[in-house]
Amino acid sequence: MQKSFIKGIVIAVGGFVFLNCSSVNKVKSKSDVPSLKEAFKSDFFIGTALNTAQIEEKVPGAAVLVPKQFNAVTPENIMKAEVIHPEWNRYNFELSDKLVAYAKKNKIVVNAHTLIWHSQLPQFVRRIKDADSVRMFFNEHITTIASRYDGQVYSWDVVNEALNEDGTMRRSIFLDKLGDDFVVEAFRLAQKAAPNTKLYYNDYNIEQPKKRAGAIALIKKIQAAGVRIDGVGIQGHWHINHLPLKDIEESILEFSALGIDVMFTELDLSVLPNPRDIVGADVNQRAAYEAKLNPYTAGLPDSVQTQLAKSYEDVFRLFLKHKDKISRITFWGVDDGQSWLNGFPVRGRTNYPLLFDKEFKPKPAFYSVIALKSKGK
Ligand code: G3I
């Protein structure tokens, strides 16, 4: 399966200064820190989710880190319907235009997120009762936004999280009012509105066999309708204590066999206790705060830091094994301080799921990922 973007020709320009974890705590100048996007430039895009303040370059640490480390960005929230289309005849493109300008200035591609999602819908949509009005919103929303950014963004998460854990279609205003074919229709509208933009289906837990089967059926349905779908985003909201490497590898192979790009679009590895064994990213799942669920308020113990580094090393080793099938790996946030996992599924916790800490310093996990490239992977 041909990768859908041109691979860079990697010319080793000087060697990285590879440090083992024990020396990682020495203060280094920012120029000593290797670059993720450079290290993996012949393998796949390396991306991050950006919040409003980061897009507006109001976060100094991120303003330095993002252009150096990443060559792809996904808006964490500002292109979701409740933000970009708050009223029937009012769109708010200010922040999405800023994102496109920021990305162009920094030679970064934009994965726009997301056209159709059951969550974060504006109030006027949530109040709609009749099918005709839902269809009018659906058609206008996709066509207006996707056509505006055609050629400016690299790709769209056209539909996000349309499946239940057992692979059946998730109940939503779109399924209820537009029927089973709403996903195919969303891609059909996006294809017409944005002929120069790649179109993806994005979901969490679709590395799990049952939900993966549902996603495969959905993708085959889109393809059978003669509608374009260019890739699938496996979100990758996992936990260091259960990293489903076997399921991940099977998913890469099975999705790739459909002739589409495979991406890991929202990667983070939680290190905190999981209440009620919540797995995935269903934003409706919540749990009450208890101190025992928030054990690392004073910092992350070395043992957990090392486990996090090993987990990231293991999953990136698998990504590199299948780099011919994978077009992008996006972290769901620049630094630990930004992560949604500080507030999900329990509000008010301190999590450590990413490669950079809340002071934007690289963690041992960053060096374990970079070191894979020094081993000629
Ligand atoms: O912008 C408002 C602000 O004006 C208001 O004062 C504040 C307090 O209510 O809320 C702010 O909006 C919040 C928004 O993040 C921006 O910070 C929403 O309440 C909050 O629900 C929203 O959370 C986002 C979450 O999606 C819920 O939709 C997270 O940041 C974001 O990381 C998360 O991302 C999703 C992906 O889009 C899809 N996959 C799962 C992933 C994790 O849930």
Side-chain angles (χ1 to χ4, degrees), residues 85-157:
H85 189 184
E87 292 163 29
W88 262 115
N89 297 312
R90 183 165 73 86
Y91 291 86
N92 177 359
F93 295 126
E94 183 193 355
L95 287 169
S96 37
D97 288 351
K98 278 184 180 177
L99 173 66
V100 167
Y102 172 86
K104 189 173 181 182
K105 179 178 77 172
N106 290 293
K107 297 184 176 53
I108 292 174
V109 299
V110 176
N111 174 66
H113 172 84
T114 175
L115 286 170
I116 294 297
W117 188 27
H118 66 278
S119 182
Q120 289 185 274
L121 286 170
Q123 202 165 51
F124 80 90
V125 175
R126 285 185 270 124
R127 286 184 176 145
I128 297 176
K129 298 292 181 240
D130 65 297
D132 288 347
S133 299
V134 173
R135 183 167 298 284
M136 186 186 294
F137 161 76
F138 185 83
N139 294 355
E140 287 177 8
H141 184 78
I142 294 171
T143 304
T144 305
I145 297 169
S147 56
R148 177 187 180 88
Y149 290 108
D150 188 38
Q152 297 189 69
V153 300
Y154 180 81
S155 55
W156 267 105
D157 291 339

Side-chain angles (χ1 to χ4, degrees), residues 57-76:
E57 301 184 84
K58 291 177 179 170
V59 183
V64 170
L65 206 56
V66 172
K68 168 160 182 168
Q69 295 293 338
F70 304 102
N71 48 22
V73 288
T74 298
E76 190 173 10

Side-chain angles (χ1 to χ4, degrees), residues 76-77 80 113 117 120 160-161 235 266 281 283 332 340:
E76 190 173 10
N77 289 294
K80 292 172 179 174
H113 172 84
W117 188 27
Q120 289 185 274
N160 186 52
E161 301 173 15
Q235 290 183 5
E266 304 183 10
V283 293
W332 203 241
W340 72 295

